[in-house]
Amino acid sequence: MTTPRRGPPGRGAGAPQHGQGSTMAETRSTGAKIFDWLKSKMDTAFLILRNTLPILVVRFGGRTYALVTRFDDVQEVLQRPNVFNVTYAPKIAVIMQGDNIFLGMRDEPDFTRDKTTMRMAAPRAEAVARVKPETARITAEVMQPALQRGRVDLAMELTQEVTTRLFGAYFGTPGASVKEISDQARSLFGYMFADLFDDPDRKTAAEPVAEAMRCYLEAAIAARKKDRGRHDDILERCLQLQDGGAPGMSDRQIRNNLIGLIVGALPQPPMVIPQLFDVLLDRKKELAEAQAAARADDDAAVSRYVFEASRFFPLTPGLFRNCEESYRVAAGTLRARTIPKGAFVMAATRSAMFDGRRVANPRRFVPGRPDYQYMHFGYGMHECFGLYMNRVMIPEICKAVLKLPDLRRARGADGTLRMDEDFGIFPMNLTVEFG
Ligand code: HEM
């Protein structure tokens, strides 16, 4: 495949606040239609916009929308968290009984407190020391039955299983079963990030799932308090921080932060990995090179192929923000535009990663681009908490697949990437055959 694929709709909750009554319904459906159109023609639309209207500001249905498509401007927006505020807080409040977590916060003391204490509970060094070998071990186990059959589904069978078991053990929250907790996480992720137009049915569907997740976490915390000192995981470390009087570490805050980790961690590798294989499987040369790197256990080279493939089909077209004060993007340049207070803004990271002004030969598959040209895991203050884990666990899972001989799509529908029917953003199946 030589052209970028359509990606899933963007993450980003906090849908625009439209007008009232029928106007609101009409606006929502027109907005949804425009969004669907944009999705289907996304990369062409981004290309045109980058070169004509790189900071597009439109007034529509009583609200202003801004779409920022060039690399520099996307980073500028994402670097101003108090001007361009994340949109997630209202949905986090639904999930967490009115509370917030750092994902939903501005640049404020509680943000720093919580991201810091959670980092203390999940130190960066553990990504390589613990997450990487654990991923390799679990992946090998999960692949075992597939090796006999000569085929494996990269989505639910492989990546969802590995990710859920890996993080279940690392967080200390394995859930009642892999299926139950990963289904819950996926459904809350869809509500938070893919319900752009605040569909009330989505809220109704999310509420009982959120309640079940809260109950599970509360029970897990209570059980752990009767069984201290025998586990080495994030839950135990949160309780140690609580013992030491660390701020922001009440039982309820630990519960909320762990829900945040579960909803962030479980659904996304099973999105990214099948999507990047959807790209690689159609590129014979690059696939062969990536396989050679995997067989040579050249992890750095595997990473380069994996994250470059992901650029052609990333997690999301962009990140959404609410503009909280009038702000001139790209000030001092000819393309400068003022985004007014109240605008709903999309920082199109997918477009930025194809901006030839900063990414050389953007249409070409170039393994070995510098890290700073990728925005797979966000940018700026809200950059992904799991960044260091992602950098090792995603290539590690991919390496096990790339090592398989004669790797190819399965024949028929199973060999085509299939998304879920509800949100349309979660890969449900992409089966490969080998040997
Ligand atoms: C393929 C895997 C992943 C992808 C593509 C991904 C992507 C992202 C992106 C794009 C953001 C920024 C959101 C924004 O700025 O609006 C983010 C934030 C976040 N991610 Fe991830 N993520 C992944 C895995 C994980 C994992 C494994 C964890 C937990 C261990 C995690 C936890 C979080 C949290 C807590 C935030 C909020 C960070 C903040 O607000 O400072 N993510 N992620």
Side-chain angles (χ1 to χ4, degrees), residues 83-85 321-327 339-343 345:
V83 176
F84 299 106
N85 189 13
R321 298 292 189 257
N322 287 322
C323 180
E324 297 201 341
E325 59 188 79
S326 175
Y327 182 89
I339 301 185
K341 180 176 176 173
V345 183

Side-chain angles (χ1 to χ4, degrees), residues 96 102-103 256 395:
M96 317 229 179
F102 57 89
L103 169 66
N256 292 346

Side-chain angles (χ1 to χ4, degrees), residues 323-357:
C323 180
E324 297 201 341
E325 59 188 79
S326 175
Y327 182 89
R328 193 149 179 86
V329 177
T333 69
L334 286 175
R335 68 178 188 284
R337 289 292 305 270
T338 299
I339 301 185
K341 180 176 176 173
F344 184 64
V345 183
M346 182 196 199
T349 45
R350 177 172 177 145
S351 168
M353 290 192 284
F354 277 85
D355 183 355
R357 292 159 196 84

Side-chain angles (χ1 to χ4, degrees), residues 228-306:
R228 292 293 308 281
R230 298 204 292 160
H231 300 81
D232 182 23
D233 51 33
I234 293 182
L235 171 54
E236 187 69 23
R237 293 167 193 170
C238 285
L239 290 172
Q240 284 165 6
L241 286 163
Q242 185 183 69
D243 295 342
M249 280 282 146
S250 67
D251 286 1
R252 182 159 161 151
Q253 287 163 317
I254 293 173
R255 176 199 78 180
N256 292 346
N257 277 313
L258 286 173
I259 293 177
L261 293 196
I262 292 168
V263 174
L266 270 47
Q268 298 191 88
M271 298 164 81
V272 164
I273 290 180
Q275 289 178 194
L276 73 88
F277 268 102
D278 198 40
V279 173
L280 266 184
L281 288 164
D282 287 347
R283 288 179 172 263
K284 276 206 161 70
K285 176 176 163 287
E286 286 86 3
L287 179 63
E289 290 166 0
Q291 290 202 266
R295 288 184 192 126
D297 275 317
D298 183 345
D299 293 354
V302 171
S303 293
R304 292 197 286 270
Y305 279 87
V306 160

